[in-house]
Amino acid sequence: MPAYHSSFLSDTDARVIGNFALFPLRTKTRGPAYVLPLLSPDDDEITLDPESESYDILDETLLLFRANTLFRNFEIKGPADRVLIYGILFISECLGKIKPTMTGREAEKALNNLALEHFALPGDPSFPLNALFAPARDRNEAETLRQYIGQMRQELAVRLLARIYFDSATVPSKWWLSFTKRKFMGKNL
């Protein structure tokens, strides 16, 4: 059975740096991404319809995380799949930071620190997926990519916490934490 690919592969309007697409995001975090409309009070972030104008690549990453984590191989069909790969690997890293005894507040602090810490970009010697990602052409593009990935990491951390602590603010979901030891494609960030 093949892995699930991004539904944003057909989106040709996204800006691409190297071969990493910069899609619009539904976020309050500052950064270079075009901001999609926020959800109305009637919408539920966890069960958001993919046809909604507020649905973005991060919603899709969270939706496909558990299914795609089970795969060791992933055929990349375009820049959207690279964003999906990075997002899945970041979620795996986040899950590794959350312990079963952590409250929602402690987990929020840990994931905020993880999202804001210095991270390697495609082309950097310490970036683990250089074989799959192309580097930015110049310093300006690299800085834009760093800001976008930082914005993406912060928003993913917030949305992941909303799912992990959906039922209780003090006990994380065992269904999410069961994926702590799984490694998508055998890699980590």
Side-chain angles (χ1 to χ4, degrees):
M1 182 172 157
Y4 296 98
H5 293 278
S6 177
S7 62
F8 290 90
L9 286 170
S10 59
D11 187 357
T12 57
D13 295 338
R15 181 175 175 202
V16 177
I17 294 180
N19 53 10
F20 194 94
L22 279 61
F23 289 106
L25 302 175
R26 185 184 73 249
T27 182
K28 293 179 185 172
T29 306
R30 292 179 58 189
Y34 174 76
V35 178
L36 292 174
L38 296 176
L39 296 177
S40 68
D42 300 335
D43 291 332
D44 179 23
E45 182 177 301
I46 296 173
T47 59
L48 185 63
D49 181 28
E51 300 301 318
S52 169
E53 67 177 3
S54 297
Y55 187 79
D56 64 8
I57 190 79
L58 302 182
D59 291 318
E60 183 177 65
T61 302
L62 287 162
L63 179 69
L64 298 177
F65 169 76
R66 292 188 279 185
N68 277 352
T69 300
L70 303 174
F71 293 100
R72 290 196 50 76
N73 298 320
F74 187 84
E75 177 189 359
I76 298 173
K77 295 187 176 182
D81 277 346
R82 286 180 178 84
V83 176
L84 189 66
I85 289 170
Y86 189 91
I88 289 171
L89 292 175
F90 180 70
I91 291 170
S92 294
E93 194 172 337
C94 288
L95 290 175
K97 295 285 184 190
I98 298 174
K99 305 296 179 231
T101 57
M102 282 183 147
T103 65
R105 196 79 181 123
E106 292 169 336
E108 182 181 359
K109 286 180 185 176
L111 294 192
N112 281 339
N113 288 338
L114 177 64
L116 293 172
E117 76 181 17
H118 184 75
F119 53 90
L121 290 176
D124 291 348
S126 60
F127 189 71
L129 303 168
N130 274 331
L132 305 175
F133 289 79
R137 287 186 305 218
D138 57 31
R139 189 173 291 176
N140 289 335
E141 277 194 355
E143 186 56 34
T144 302
L145 183 60
R146 179 175 301 287
Q147 291 172 358
Y148 179 81
I149 291 175
Q151 185 180 17
M152 191 175 110
R153 288 165 62 108
Q154 290 174 51
E155 186 62 30
L156 260 176
V158 168
R159 293 188 198 179
L160 180 63
L161 284 169
R163 284 163 173 77
I164 293 175
Y165 290 92
F166 181 73
D167 294 330
S168 168
T170 57
V171 180
S173 168
K174 65 181 180 180
W175 304 114
W176 276 95
L177 292 186
S178 66
F179 287 88
T180 302
K181 293 190 181 354
R182 302 291 286 168
K183 287 194 178 203
F184 177 58
M185 298 173 54
K187 304 272 186 194
N188 57 0
L189 288 179

